[in-house]
Amino acid sequence: MMLQIVALAAILSAAQSFQLNMTQFYEMPPLYDLDDYDRCLQEFNGQSSTYCFVRAEVQPDESASAWRAITEISKYDRHHFDHRNLYFGLCLRECEDSLSELNEDELEALQAGLLTDNPKVNVYLDLFSAETDNRQRHQRLTNVCLNWRLQRRGFGVLAKSVVEYCNEAGQQVEDDAWNLSFYGILGALLVLACLGSLVDLLLKRRRHDKMLKERDHYKTPPKSTAQQILLTFSVARNWYRLNQEPTGKIGRELRFLDCFKFFAMFMVIFAHTNWVIYESAISNPQDPERLLHTAAGTLLVSGSLITVTFFVISGLLLTINWLAVSRSLEAKKEHWSFGQYAFLFLKFNVFRYIRLTVPYAFVLLMSGVYFENAGGPLWRHIFEREQLSCRRNWWTNLLYINNFVRTDERCLLQGWYLAADTHSFVLSLILLMLGHRFAKWSKHLYAGILATFVAIPMVLTYVMDYYPIFIPSPQTQKDSFIGDRQFTEFYTSSLMNFGSYFCGVLAALAYDQLTQKQYKIRELKSFQLLWFALIPVGVLWLFSAHPIFQHYYVAPSAIWGAIYAGLQRNLWGFGLGIFIVGMAGKVGWIFRKFACLPIFRILGRLTYGAFIVHLLVARIVLATVREPIYFGTGMMFAFIFFTMTMSYLCSFLLAIFLELPVSSFLKLMR
Ligand SMILES: *[C@@H]1O[C@H](CO)[C@@H](O)[C@H](O)[C@H]1NC(C)=O
C-alpha cells in the first residue's frame, strides 16, 4: 500500500509540471468571437437584420506566429482544444460597415474559401440543411468579414469558413404535427391525472370509514378493474407509491442502492453539464486545458467509470427478479419446457421495454418540440441540433440500437447507456436461463462468460487499435462526440460494457447463495477488512489511468494498453459487486447507515427520470448563452446545481404523471 501511494505521488507530481506558455496562447485567435446578438437584431427595429453563426478553420501559414502557436498548443489533443476551429457570430450589418472602406482587390485578398472538408462541421451542415440558401447567400460576406477581423487584430492568418445558420429578426415558430402531438399527449396526461385524482377523492368520500386513515385509503386498491386503471393516474396515490417503504427482506437489505444511484447520477449530471459548457463558449479555455494536465484532470477522465455503477446495479436487479420468479414457478413444477422459458423471456423483455420506453419516448418527443427561440447565437447550435437529430433518429432510440446506428446524429446522447443496458439485459437473461436449465454446469458457464467478456475488450482493443481508455477531450466534447471512434466503438459499445453488467449478475447470485445458506459475512473479519480496503483501492484505481492519460508523445505499449482496457471497467464492476454484496450483508458501519437514509428512497426512484431529462435541461440552460462564459469552479457548480435541481424536479413530475402510472398499470397486467 505504502509503495503504491509513493508511486502515485511521484506520478502526480511529474505531471504537475506542465506549463502553458500564455504569451504564445494569446498569439492565437480566440476560439469564440460573438457579436452582440440582441443589438444586432433589435437596433433599427429589426429592419433586414441578419445574424449568422459561422464555423471557421484557420489555414496553415508557417510564417505567422499565430499558426505556429496553434500547432504547438493543439498538439496536446487529449488535453487541449483544437485551436484551428473558430466560432464566429457575425452581425451582417456590422460586417458590411467594417468592409465599406476596402476596395475590390483588398476584398478579394481576404477570401479564403468555403470550408468543405471538416467532417464534423459537415454533420452540422447536413442537419441544418434548411439553411442552404442562407449559406450560399452569405458565404462571401461572412468569410471576408471574419478574415478582415483576423487581419485587423494582427493574427496574420486566414480561415476558411462556412455559415452554419443565420437568424433574422422576427422569425416565428410554427406548430407542426410533432409539436401538436406533444401538446396533445401532455394535455391527455393532465386530463387523466385530474380524472384519476377526482375519482380517487370521490371513492374516499364515499367510504365513510372512520377507522381508515387518509393514507390507508390511497394504499388500498379499489375493486373494479375500470377503477383500478383510472386510479393508476391518481396523483395522491402516485405520491404514496413514490414514498413507499421497500417491501420484503431483499428490498430492505438492498435499500442502500438508492443512495448509490443518486450519487452516481449526481456525477453523471456533473460530467454532462461540464460537457454542454464545452459545447457552448468559454471565455478562458486555457483554464480547463490546464486543469486536465493535473491529477484532477485524471479524475475527470476516469470518472467515466461511474456509469459502470449503473450496469452493475442493473445486472443485480435483473438477477434478483429472475431468481424470485423462477423460484415461485419451481414450487409448482420441477421441469420446464422450452415454451415456458420462451414465455418467461418474452414477458421479462416486454415488461421492461414498456416500463422504460414510455417515459423515454415522452422525453424524446419533448426533445423534438420547436418553441420560441429564447436563446442567443448558440441556441440553435446547441439545442436545435438536438431537436433535429431527435426528429430524424428517434426510432433508433426506441429500438435501443442508438449506440451503433446513426451515431453521428445522436438524439439524447446519454441514451447509449439504455441501449447497452438493453442488450446486456437480453443476453444476461438468456444466460441465466441456460444456467437454470443446465444447473449442473451453471458455475462453469458463468465463469466462462466472465472470462470471455474480460477478454473481449482486450482483444478488440488490441486488434482494432483502440486507445486503452476513453478520453473525453475538450475538442471531442465541443464537437458533441461526433465522429469519435473511441466513444462509439470503445466506450459505448455493448460488448465492451457487458462484463460489468455481468459482475452485477454474479453479485446477485453470490448474495442469493449467502442468504440461502444464512451465512453471515459480517462476522468474517477478513471480509470486513477486504470491504473497507475496497474504498481506498477504488480511489487508486481511478488514478491508475494517470500514466496513460498524462504521458506525452510516447504511445502506451499495445499489449499493456489492451490489458488495461479489459480490466479498467471490469475490475471496477467486480469490486463494486463485492462492495454491494457486503453492504447487503450489513457490512459498512456508518456508510451503510448513511446510505439507508429515507431521503434516498425518493431520490433513488427519481434517478431514471433525471437520467433521461438532464441533458435536455442542461442544453436549455446553456444554449441561452450570448457571450463566452467564464469557466471557474463557482460558475461550474452554479450550472451543475441548477441542472441537477431542475432535472430532479422534472423527473418528479414525470414520475407522478407518467412513470408510476405505467408501472402500476403493468402490475395490474401481471
Ligand atoms: C513563450 O512564447 C513566446 C512567443 O512564442 C516566446 O517568445 C517565449 O520564449 C516562450 N516562453 C517560453 C518560456 O517558452
Side-chain angles (χ1 to χ4, degrees):
M1 194 64 134
M2 273 315 286
L3 226 126
Q4 272 169 314
I5 292 173
V6 171
L8 190 74
I11 292 166
L12 295 188
S13 53
Q16 305 287 26
S17 59
F18 182 84
Q19 292 280 332
L20 202 56
N21 181 342
M22 287 313 290
T23 317
Q24 197 178 35
F25 191 90
Y26 283 110
E27 281 172 0
M28 300 188 295
L31 291 176
Y32 315 96
D33 180 0
L34 306 173
D35 289 345
D36 188 330
Y37 183 75
D38 300 283
R39 178 171 178 176
C40 180
L41 294 189
Q42 287 172 22
E43 205 180 12
F44 311 115
N45 301 314
Q47 283 166 345
S48 69
S49 303
T50 307
Y51 189 100
C52 290
F53 181 69
V54 184
R55 307 280 293 263
E57 191 172 296
V58 176
Q59 295 303 299
D61 179 358
E62 285 302 332
S63 66
S65 63
W67 175 254
R68 290 196 302 271
I70 287 176
T71 45
E72 184 59 33
I73 287 172
S74 305
K75 78 181 173 197
Y76 296 94
D77 57 350
R78 279 172 286 138
H79 302 76
H80 296 178
F81 288 103
D82 183 345
H83 285 269
R84 279 177 304 167
N85 294 322
L86 311 179
Y87 288 0
F88 283 90
L90 299 176
C91 181
L92 295 192
R93 184 165 18 80
E94 277 182 40
C95 278
E96 278 160 1
D97 287 351
S98 72
L99 298 177
S100 57
E101 279 153 29
L102 301 184
N103 64 36
E104 211 32 61
D105 290 339
E106 285 167 320
L107 288 179
E108 199 50 47
L110 287 171
Q111 282 259 41
L114 184 65
L115 177 62
T116 52
D117 53 358
N118 184 327
K120 292 169 190 173
V121 174
N122 288 344
V123 171
Y124 280 88
L125 299 187
D126 184 40
L127 277 171
F128 290 103
S129 53
E131 294 287 320
T132 316
D133 279 351
N134 276 335
R135 212 163 277 156
Q136 279 163 1
R137 185 144 26 109
H138 303 307
Q139 165 62 26
R140 189 185 142 85
L141 176 61
T142 52
N143 190 245
V144 171
C145 178
L146 66 90
N147 279 321
W148 172 234
R149 288 187 187 190
L150 289 175
Q151 296 300 317
R152 202 180 42 186
R153 289 178 200 159
F155 294 114
V157 283
L158 291 177
K160 283 187 178 176
S161 72
V162 62
V163 173
E164 190 168 310
Y165 51 77
C166 295
N167 291 337
E168 269 147 47
Q171 271 171 338
Q172 297 279 324
V173 177
E174 277 166 36
D175 282 326
D176 54 1
W178 186 290
N179 276 16
L180 292 178
S181 44
F182 175 73
Y183 296 135
I185 289 175
L186 196 64
L189 282 180
L190 287 179
V191 168
L192 279 172
C194 288
L195 221 64
S197 305
L198 273 178
V199 171
D200 211 3
L201 212 61
L202 284 179
L203 282 176
K204 195 177 127 221
R205 281 276 165 82
R206 237 193 285 155
R207 204 169 259 188
H208 291 312
D209 191 341
K210 285 274 168 352
M211 298 301 290
L212 208 61
K213 283 212 206 96
E214 179 158 312
R215 252 186 297 147
D216 297 324
H217 163 75
Y218 291 119
K219 287 177 180 171
T220 40
K223 293 187 188 68
S224 79
T225 318
Q227 277 180 0
Q228 279 181 342
I229 291 177
L230 207 53
L231 287 195
T232 55
F233 286 97
S234 158
V235 171
R237 235 163 241 270
N238 284 325
W239 166 246
Y240 284 113
R241 276 185 204 125
L242 188 65
N243 253 314
Q244 212 168 40
E245 297 251 347
T247 50
K249 179 168 172 295
I250 295 180
R252 278 195 305 277
E253 280 181 351
L254 294 178
R255 208 161 30 171
F256 62 87
L257 286 181
D258 283 331
C259 171
F260 283 28
K261 281 195 227 162
F262 174 72
F263 276 101
M265 190 45 60
F266 172 73
M267 300 290 192
V268 169
I269 292 180
F270 179 106
H272 286 175
T273 307
N274 255 329
W275 154 39
V276 185
I277 295 179
Y278 280 123
E279 236 188 277
S280 75
I282 302 173
S283 67
N284 55 336
Q286 68 274 22
D287 288 327
E289 291 181 349
R290 260 195 297 236
L291 179 75
L292 282 178
H293 286 285
T294 66
T298 305
L299 267 190
L300 281 179
V301 166
S302 31
S304 55
L305 277 177
I306 288 301
T307 31
V308 169
T309 315
F310 290 106
F311 282 116
V312 173
I313 292 180
S314 192
L316 183 95
L317 295 181
L318 158 67
T319 314
I320 284 175
N321 265 335
W322 159 253
L323 288 173
V325 169
S326 65
R327 293 254 160 75
S328 71
L329 285 180
E330 259 167 20
K332 287 182 212 146
K333 203 169 165 211
E334 267 300 310
H335 282 286
W336 300 7
S337 65
F338 175 76
Q340 261 164 324
Y341 281 114
F343 174 73
L344 264 186
F345 179 76
L346 213 66
K347 191 171 159 188
F348 261 75
N349 276 299
V350 168
F351 273 66
R352 177 182 181 278
Y353 183 83
I354 296 177
R355 197 164 39 80
L356 289 190
T357 311
V358 172
Y360 190 33
F362 183 78
V363 174
L364 277 171
L365 188 64
M366 191 159 77
S367 307
V369 171
Y370 292 139
F371 49 91
E372 210 62 56
N373 179 347
L378 289 167
W379 174 267
R380 299 177 69 186
H381 178 70
I382 297 175
F383 199 77
E384 193 175 325
R385 188 204 66 83
E386 183 81 357
Q387 292 170 321
L388 293 169
S389 332
C390 282
R391 284 176 174 229
R392 264 196 206 178
N393 297 325
W394 54 273
W395 54 273
T396 62
N397 292 56
L398 293 189
L399 294 175
Y400 295 100
I401 52 174
N402 52 318
N403 65 341
F404 59 92
V405 177
R406 305 251 184 129
T407 48
D408 275 346
E409 301 171 352
R410 290 168 193 266
C411 160
L412 293 188
L413 181 132
Q414 78 275 37
W416 75 262
Y417 168 81
L418 293 178
D421 190 86
T422 304
H423 305 153
S424 306
F425 179 92
V426 173
L427 185 54
S428 298
L429 192 56
I430 294 176
L431 291 170
L432 284 170
M433 287 182 162
L434 285 175
H436 182 262
R437 176 72 186 75
F438 305 102
K440 240 195 284 176
W441 299 105
S442 62
K443 290 219 171 68
H444 301 89
L445 173 74
Y446 297 147
I449 291 293
L450 185 67
T452 313
F453 278 91
V454 173
I456 285 181
M458 293 188 191
V459 173
L460 279 181
T461 305
Y462 189 80
V463 173
M464 308 290 287
D465 200 18
Y466 297 139
Y467 202 72
I469 49 173
F470 167 61
I471 297 175
S473 73
Q475 189 59 37
T476 302
Q477 302 195 55
K478 187 179 168 197
D479 288 329
S480 201
F481 299 95
I482 290 170
D484 189 322
R485 175 167 171 260
Q486 192 75 12
F487 180 71
T488 314
E489 296 173 22
F490 179 86
Y491 181 60
T492 65
S493 129
S494 310
L495 276 180
M496 297 297 229
N497 286 298
F498 183 74
S500 350
Y501 192 94
F502 201 66
C503 286
V505 172
L506 293 181
L509 293 171
Y511 165 66
D512 180 63
Q513 286 297 313
L514 291 175
T515 356
Q516 295 274 312
K517 297 191 176 132
Q518 303 204 332
Y519 190 81
K520 299 224 167 13
I521 38 171
R522 191 166 37 134
E523 288 157 11
L524 215 63
K525 275 269 150 14
S526 53
F527 184 80
Q528 291 261 10
L529 204 68
L530 169 72
W531 193 90
F532 282 103
L534 280 176
I535 299 170
V537 169
V539 175
L540 285 182
W541 192 239
L542 284 177
F543 282 110
S544 65
H546 199 81
I548 301 174
F549 175 52
Q550 301 293 8
H551 80 250
Y552 304 111
Y553 305 122
V554 245
S557 102
I559 288 281
W560 285 108
I563 290 175
Y564 187 76
L567 293 182
Q568 194 202 19
R569 279 177 268 189
N570 290 325
L571 270 189
W572 182 270
F574 199 77
L576 198 62
I578 298 177
F579 200 74
I580 288 175
V581 171
M583 238 191 202
K586 305 216 169 54
V587 181
W589 190 41
I590 51 170
F591 295 115
R592 184 184 149 80
K593 291 240 169 65
F594 174 77
C596 290
L597 289 179
I599 178 140
F600 294 122
R601 198 162 66 220
I602 301 183
L603 292 177
R605 282 186 192 151
L606 294 180
T607 308
Y608 178 62
F611 174 70
I612 51 181
V613 299
H614 75 273
L615 259 184
L616 201 64
V617 173
R619 280 180 195 283
I620 291 183
V621 174
L622 281 156
T624 56
V625 157
R626 278 159 160 73
E627 267 161 18
I629 52 178
Y630 174 75
F631 186 95
T633 323
M635 195 62 159
M636 221 166 73
F637 275 97
F639 277 115
I640 289 165
F641 194 73
F642 183 76
T643 310
M644 177 91 185
T645 321
M646 273 311 282
S647 305
Y648 271 84
L649 266 175
C650 292
S651 170
F652 175 74
L653 296 178
L654 199 64
I656 294 281
F657 289 101
L658 191 59
E659 232 180 299
L660 290 165
V662 168
S663 79
S664 41
F665 185 74
L666 287 176
K667 278 213 186 91
L668 292 181
M669 308 291 292
R670 284 249 159 88

